[in-house]
Amino acid sequence: MAARRALKAVLVDLNGTLHIEDAAVPGAQEALKRLRATSVMVRFVTNTTKESKKDLLERLKKLEFEISEDEIFTSLTAARNLIEQKQVRPMLLVDDRALPEFTGVQTQDPNAVVIGLAPEHFHYQLLNQAFRRKQRGQEEENSDSH
């Protein structure tokens, strides 16, 4: 029989697990308290791109969840980290409520595109601009490799 390994960490998806929009999932606060009473590290993840981590945290606190900002990892966090790692200047096609996640990021003369859930930005002119930037970037990559 294989040795049983102790669980060291749990990643909890936020939307649909702890809350649905502005309502807590029934029993979620109590379940989280019980989980925190163990020695397991708890972190929270979400793939939402429609709001900043600060806004998300505010919503969770209103729903009486005891969560700190540094425990949350979002897809916007991942995008920001990649932007910094690759040192690119993105064109941001994200909801206006998500823009605080990119404070301090250079966006002048973009050489990358970040797309999130932002229907108000999904119109021909802006999407065509993003496509042309991407196309121009591929042409530059191809000319560099010759």
Side-chain angles (χ1 to χ4, degrees):
M1 182 189 271
R4 195 169 171 184
R5 294 184 184 184
L7 191 62
K8 294 181 182 177
V10 174
L11 296 177
V12 179
D13 184 28
L14 290 169
N15 194 13
T17 305
L18 294 186
H19 74 98
I20 298 173
E21 295 303 325
D22 291 327
V25 170
Q29 293 99 331
E30 182 58 33
L32 181 56
K33 285 178 186 170
R34 289 179 53 206
L35 184 59
R36 287 199 186 275
T38 69
S39 61
V40 175
M41 179 175 60
V42 181
R43 294 294 180 264
F44 304 91
V45 295
T46 182
N47 64 351
T48 187
T49 59
K50 65 182 182 179
E51 64 186 338
S52 70
K53 189 188 303 186
K54 185 177 180 180
D55 289 346
L56 178 59
L57 183 61
E58 188 176 302
R59 177 198 323 230
L60 293 168
K61 287 188 182 273
K62 284 181 184 173
L63 296 175
E64 299 180 11
F65 287 104
E66 295 178 22
I67 297 174
S68 64
E69 188 172 351
D70 64 330
E71 292 179 305
I72 300 172
F73 187 83
T74 72
S75 51
L76 295 172
T77 306
R80 170 75 187 236
N81 290 349
L82 188 61
I83 288 166
E84 291 173 350
Q85 177 189 359
K86 299 290 185 180
Q87 297 181 343
V88 294
R89 299 173 311 277
M91 175 182 188
L92 299 171
L93 295 179
V94 298
D95 191 286
D96 291 344
R97 294 172 297 167
L99 288 175
E101 291 297 310
F102 300 97
T103 300
V105 169
Q106 178 60 253
T107 57
Q108 293 294 97
D109 189 28
N111 59 357
V113 179
V114 173
I115 299 175
L117 179 61
E120 70 278 7
H121 295 303
F122 294 169
H123 53 79
Y124 176 79
Q125 184 179 0
L126 208 50
L127 290 173
N128 191 42
Q129 189 179 21
F131 174 76
R132 290 190 185 284
R133 288 191 188 289
K134 173 66 177 142
Q135 197 172 37
R136 199 167 45 237
Q138 284 179 324
E139 290 168 0
E140 290 172 5
E141 281 180 21
N142 291 339
S143 67
D144 287 346
S145 64
H146 292 286

